[in-house]
Amino acid sequence: MNKKITIREFADELVERLNAEKTVDCCKKELLNLAAIVKKEIPDLAIEVDWKD
């Protein structure tokens, strides 16, 4: 089922899934869309990361 939600709602859903230790594989396309939006709209905003290989 496709529906439009706000970035805030999407972020809330991601946080909920991650806190419940659920996978976010279901949201790959949406995460790629979010990355494109972030790159376009707020490319210079800094975030601290701890990448794990």
Side-chain angles (χ1 to χ4, degrees), residues 7-8 11 33-48:
I7 298 290
R8 182 185 316 269
N33 288 341
L34 177 61
I37 291 169
V38 169
K39 187 175 178 179
K40 180 181 177 186
E41 300 294 329
I42 54 172
D44 298 322
L45 187 62
I47 184 173
E48 186 172 328

Side-chain angles (χ1 to χ4, degrees), residues 7-46:
I7 298 290
R8 182 185 316 269
E9 290 169 320
F10 183 59
D12 289 344
E13 290 288 331
L14 285 175
V15 168
E16 185 177 315
R17 289 189 70 81
L18 291 168
N19 284 335
E21 298 185 17
K22 292 183 178 178
T23 179
V24 292
D25 292 344
C26 64
C27 308
K28 183 176 180 178
K29 182 178 82 170
E30 291 81 2
L31 288 168
L32 291 170
N33 288 341
L34 177 61
I37 291 169
V38 169
K39 187 175 178 179
K40 180 181 177 186
E41 300 294 329
I42 54 172
D44 298 322
L45 187 62

